[in-house]
Amino acid sequence: MLRTAALLAFSFFCLSLPSPAQDGAVELKLRWVPGMTYLQESDTETTNFLTVLGKATDQKLSLQQTTSITVKQNASGQTEAAVLIQSLVGEMSFEGKNYAFDSKNPGSSSPQLRQTLGGAAGKGFTLVYSDKGEFLDAKDLGSMVTGDVEPDLTSIATARQLAALYRRSLEMGLPKIPVRPGDKWITDEFVVFPQAGTVQVKLNAKFDGIVDREGHRQAQISFEGTMKSRPDKDSQGREVTTERPVTLGDNSKANGHVFFDLETKTISLAVFAASIQLKVEGRPMPVHQQVTTRLVSMKPTAEAQPVKP
């Protein structure tokens, strides 16, 4: 599921407005509302600098993904957010040629991208939260698991990693405790990527202020930091040596900003840009990626009409 390969980036300009709420701390924590369906669009621009590997040109990929999150409350009072990739549209340029992909018309898409992206649309999972908004688990991973009678164990593990990566991307840069405009904090987390393994993402974040955006009071947060590969750990927390085809060098950097809607308790716009120093089978290959994710709509589920994949 390529959404997770794309963690990140965008830009927007807002005018900060004075507000009495700036005198007090506010909680910037995602809260999914049962009975609502959220629709997101993510635009990802990725450049793989293949010329350093001896190729004639670099590779550029533009990808737009539409994702729906349908929220309900289960019998135990927990909140379930069903995440579904509705559609994918992409274009890749390489060695003077352009290759297109559209999940709504895969037959006319280029074989190169159809092989990579063709199975992503229609895939999804469900994130489960407590009645206090604490994340509990991911379930309903079957659409991302290969195998029929005997599901492939590796694909099950990968599906859980992708679900966790998506959730982490939603929360990137957000503080763990209530904060005031001008406050700064550090987030230091270990995130598992399906191919690269354990990656340490350390960000220095700042609450820039409260702005009026699209008729709502929103908290603006900016951040910058580093990403680097770290040894994997077993169930006992001991470091283990794992051969990975892809790793991240210590000088990989990231930056971005988000707008958190204080009324709906969700992120209306998020940007993450990364300059990643990949090592592919031991050979360095720089990658630049920028991801812009915006909330398109938030409607009662009965009124929402998500796009069919």
Side-chain angles (χ1 to χ4, degrees):
M1 187 171 64
L2 210 66
R3 161 70 171 83
T4 58
L7 279 173
L8 341 162
F10 92 141
S11 61
F12 195 90
F13 179 79
C14 287
L15 176 65
S16 295
L17 299 177
S19 170
Q22 292 186 351
D23 295 332
V26 293
E27 184 181 58
L28 306 181
K29 182 178 181 179
L30 288 173
R31 294 298 294 262
W32 299 109
V33 179
M36 303 296 287
T37 292
Y38 302 73
L39 194 66
Q40 294 179 336
E41 282 186 357
S42 298
D43 292 310
T44 303
E45 301 288 337
T46 305
T47 301
N48 297 320
F49 294 94
L50 300 180
T51 49
V52 302
L53 298 179
K55 301 291 184 179
T57 63
D58 295 325
Q59 182 188 73
K60 296 183 178 180
L61 174 66
S62 297
L63 183 66
Q64 184 177 79
Q65 178 176 311
T66 302
T67 306
S68 67
I69 304 99
T70 302
V71 187
K72 69 177 184 179
Q73 189 175 61
N74 63 25
S76 300
Q78 299 167 338
T79 298
E80 297 186 356
V83 180
L84 179 68
I85 298 178
Q86 296 285 353
S87 62
L88 281 171
V89 178
E91 183 177 42
M92 181 179 70
S93 61
F94 181 54
E95 295 183 338
K97 297 181 179 180
N98 293 324
Y99 306 88
F101 174 82
D102 187 342
S103 63
K104 297 178 183 178
N105 192 7
S108 64
S109 302
S110 71
Q112 292 88 342
L113 290 184
R114 188 166 63 241
Q115 182 178 1
T116 304
L117 306 175
K123 299 294 179 67
F125 47 84
T126 298
L127 303 175
V128 183
Y129 296 82
S130 72
D131 57 355
K132 296 181 180 179
E134 303 295 336
F135 174 73
L136 298 176
D137 196 10
K139 68 173 191 176
D140 301 334
L141 304 169
S143 66
M144 299 191 296
V145 176
T146 58
D148 297 322
V149 178
E150 297 183 6
D152 179 66
L153 296 180
T154 299
S155 69
I156 293 176
T158 299
R160 296 193 70 85
Q161 291 171 355
L162 292 175
L165 194 55
Y166 176 82
R167 179 180 67 85
R168 294 288 187 89
S169 72
L170 292 175
E171 301 170 358
M172 187 166 296
L174 295 182
K176 304 296 184 184
I177 61 175
V179 290
R180 295 177 174 82
D183 282 354
K184 299 179 181 179
W185 60 92
I186 296 175
T187 62
D188 192 359
E189 300 189 40
F190 292 84
V191 183
V192 179
F193 289 77
Q195 286 188 312
T198 303
V199 175
Q200 182 182 14
V201 182
K202 187 174 183 179
L203 301 175
N204 297 301
K206 180 184 178 183
F207 187 176
D208 293 322
I210 296 176
V211 302
D212 181 45
R213 183 173 180 273
E214 298 181 343
H216 290 195
R217 294 172 58 255
Q218 302 194 17
Q220 183 175 350
I221 298 168
S222 58
F223 55 83
E224 61 180 7
T226 59
M227 305 168 64
K228 61 181 70 175
S229 288
R230 285 290 183 252
D232 295 329
K233 294 185 179 181
D234 61 18
S235 58
Q236 304 298 319
R238 296 170 298 194
E239 291 187 358
V240 295
T241 300
T242 306
E243 293 295 330
R244 297 281 181 181
V246 176
T247 58
L248 277 69
D250 290 351
N251 54 344
S252 298
K253 300 183 183 302
N255 67 82
H257 56 281
V258 301
F259 288 97
F260 182 92
D261 193 315
L262 296 172
E263 297 175 36
T264 61
K265 304 297 182 184
T266 190
I267 291 177
S268 65
L269 187 64
V271 174
F272 192 105
S275 295
I276 304 171
Q277 304 302 318
L278 281 187
K279 288 187 178 180
V280 181
E281 296 180 350
R283 301 178 65 186
M285 185 188 75
V287 174
H288 183 267
Q289 188 170 77
Q290 177 171 308
V291 181
T292 303
T293 300
R294 63 187 63 84
L295 181 66
V296 177
S297 65
M298 175 183 172
K299 299 179 180 180
T301 299
E303 299 177 12
Q305 299 180 0
V307 180
K308 302 275 186 186

